[in-house]
Amino acid sequence: MHRRQKPSAPERKRDLAAHGGALSMSHNGTRSFFNFSQLVLSAGHLKSPPVLKHSKVTYFEVEILDVQSKKQICIVDKVPPSSTLLDVKHKFHKACPQWYPSRVGLQLERNGPYLKDSINIQSLAVSSIITLYFTDLGQQVSWTTFFLTEYTGPLLIYLLFYIRLSTIYDQVESTKNFRHPVVHLACFCHCLHYIRHLLETLFVHKFSGGHTPLKNMIKGCAFYWGFTSWIAYYINHPRYTPPSFGHRQVSFAALAFLMCEAGNHFINVALAHQNHSGLKACFPSPTYNPFTWLFLLVSCPNYTYEVGSWISFTVMTQTLPVGIFALLMVIQMSLWAQKKHRLYLKRFYPDVRRKAAMIPIIF
């Protein structure tokens, strides 16, 4: 029998090393595969990177035609959808410098209303081309300039008659005749009325429209300045006679005048506060101020107080020119009140349906 020979020590070491290396390689390979599989499972589904989509902005072209001849004046291109009509007017002014924005009137239809500057151009678009009709509104002035000019004239004109210039009255009669106290009181009330208007124009009123035609300012100045000259000439004339019922009539009328002036001011402040705060969801309601309680009866109490001032001034001075002016103011204010009352009925129907426009029951 052959005896099995035992491997020598060096050979044994080589066999163990080879066997251990094989096991180590097998173990490392298994571990690497396990780690790779865990990484794939934790990563989830493989997705391709998202494709960036470029947003496409649609621009409009605004074709502007003459309202009379229908001829094309210009085309305003590359108008963004977020632009307003005022932006279009500015671009139109760059193309046609002779027509600045406040002078430009734009309409969708030839006989349609003028579009507001704040309207969004996208709301007018039916396609990428928008056709608008152009009207030259003429020379324009701001509303602030309009009212300041209209009210400054009567204030200065009345004072010129009050000091009795030698070019207006005879100086001999002016020195001889004594001025009745109602003449001084009338000057105070007349100046107070127009000073209030000027201060409210500067600090109270907020005008929605930016401009008005110059011809309207000329008409308004001719009306107010002309009547002021006529009124002041008679009241400050050296031969002016006081009212029939004397001091009692003057005192009662002056008190009514001052109350109407105060009421007019507080109503204008209430309306301006509503516009500034943006609370247009409801009709203005009376406050603790008694002068605002007229809101319970009429929708335009500022016109009511304005008419009351001139009627009181007529009673106080008892002159024909003031009476004619007061009558014209009643007619004009009633027309404005009716127009505004119809607008209030559309917007605040439940609140104003039982109110009169300017004077309870009558108007």
Side-chain angles (χ1 to χ4, degrees):
M1 293 179 66
H2 295 283
R3 182 179 289 181
R4 185 178 180 181
Q5 296 181 354
K6 294 183 180 178
S8 62
E11 290 178 352
R12 235 182 0 254
K13 289 182 180 179
R14 283 197 302 269
D15 292 342
L16 288 173
H19 182 68
L23 290 175
S24 176
M25 289 178 62
S26 175
H27 178 71
N28 290 339
T30 305
R31 186 174 182 180
S32 299
F33 178 77
F34 176 76
N35 291 337
F36 177 73
S37 61
Q38 290 294 324
L39 178 64
V40 172
L41 291 175
S42 63
H45 298 288
L46 295 177
K47 293 183 179 179
S48 59
V51 179
L52 295 177
K53 295 182 180 180
H54 298 283
S55 58
K56 186 177 180 181
V57 179
T58 303
Y59 292 95
F60 295 103
E61 289 186 357
V62 180
E63 180 187 26
I64 300 179
L65 308 179
D66 183 76
V67 71
Q68 300 294 337
S69 61
K70 294 185 180 181
K71 292 182 179 179
Q72 185 186 98
I73 300 177
C74 75
I75 293 180
V76 180
D77 57 352
K78 294 184 178 180
V79 179
S82 59
S83 298
T84 62
L85 199 67
L86 184 60
D87 299 328
V88 175
K89 289 184 178 182
H90 281 292
K91 291 187 177 183
F92 178 63
H93 174 57
K94 290 182 179 180
C96 305
Q98 68 271 27
W99 292 309
Y100 51 90
S102 61
R103 188 168 181 162
V104 175
L106 297 177
Q107 305 160 274
L108 270 177
E109 300 175 357
R110 295 183 65 188
N111 298 325
Y114 293 114
L115 300 173
K116 294 183 179 180
D117 291 344
S118 59
I119 193 170
N120 189 280
I121 199 67
Q122 192 173 14
S123 63
L124 305 175
V126 178
S127 63
S128 60
I129 300 177
I130 303 172
T131 302
L132 299 176
Y133 293 94
F134 161 75
T135 301
D136 183 9
L137 300 178
Q139 190 73 20
Q140 302 287 301
V141 294
S142 66
W143 280 108
T144 303
T145 303
F146 175 90
F147 287 114
L148 289 179
T149 306
E150 190 176 70
Y151 296 143
T152 303
L155 180 63
L156 299 178
I157 289 172
Y158 197 97
L159 291 176
L160 291 177
F161 283 92
Y162 176 74
I163 62 178
R164 290 183 175 177
L165 294 176
S166 58
T167 55
I168 301 175
Y169 302 111
D170 183 72
Q171 289 299 305
V172 177
E173 290 189 23
S174 299
T175 54
K176 283 183 180 180
N177 295 331
F178 170 75
R179 291 197 190 193
H180 194 275
V182 70
V183 175
H184 304 291
L185 182 60
C187 180
F188 170 77
C189 292
H190 191 276
C191 293
L192 177 66
H193 178 79
Y194 284 102
I195 289 174
R196 178 185 63 80
H197 274 304
L198 291 172
L199 293 177
E200 288 178 352
T201 300
L202 293 174
F203 304 110
V204 176
H205 294 303
K206 183 179 179 181
F207 305 106
S208 56
H211 299 81
T212 185
L214 178 63
K215 60 182 181 181
N216 289 346
M217 188 179 76
I218 296 175
K219 291 179 186 177
C221 290
F223 178 77
Y224 280 98
W225 294 16
F227 263 102
T228 300
S229 302
W230 191 23
I231 290 170
Y233 176 80
Y234 275 87
I235 296 176
N236 296 286
H237 199 280
R239 298 181 183 179
Y240 170 75
T241 55
S244 304
F245 296 96
H247 179 72
R248 184 174 297 179
Q249 178 179 342
V250 172
S251 301
F252 173 78
L255 181 61
F257 178 87
L258 294 176
M259 291 181 62
C260 289
E261 287 295 303
N264 202 341
H265 172 70
F266 288 122
I267 292 297
N268 288 332
V269 170
L271 293 174
H273 176 72
Q274 181 199 24
N275 293 333
H276 291 168
S277 60
L279 301 175
K280 297 183 180 181
C282 60
F283 186 75
S285 57
T287 63
Y288 62 89
N289 189 336
F291 290 102
T292 63
W293 294 351
L294 200 57
F295 273 122
L296 297 172
L297 302 176
V298 297
S299 59
C300 303
N302 50 333
Y303 295 152
T304 308
Y305 282 124
E306 183 76 12
V307 167
S309 295
W310 286 110
I311 293 176
S312 303
F313 194 76
T314 303
V315 175
M316 181 176 62
T317 58
Q318 196 173 310
T319 53
L320 179 63
V322 182
I324 295 176
F325 182 75
L327 177 62
L328 295 177
M329 291 297 288
V330 170
I331 296 173
Q332 182 63 72
M333 293 292 171
S334 64
L335 294 176
W336 288 345
Q338 288 288 342
K339 182 178 179 181
K340 189 171 289 188
H341 185 69
R342 286 192 290 268
L343 294 176
Y344 285 155
L345 285 174
K346 293 180 181 179
R347 296 176 57 189
F348 315 116
Y349 174 72
D351 298 322
V352 299
R353 59 177 179 172
R354 295 183 179 179
K355 300 183 193 312
M358 187 178 73
I359 299 177
I361 300 174
I362 299 176
F363 294 104

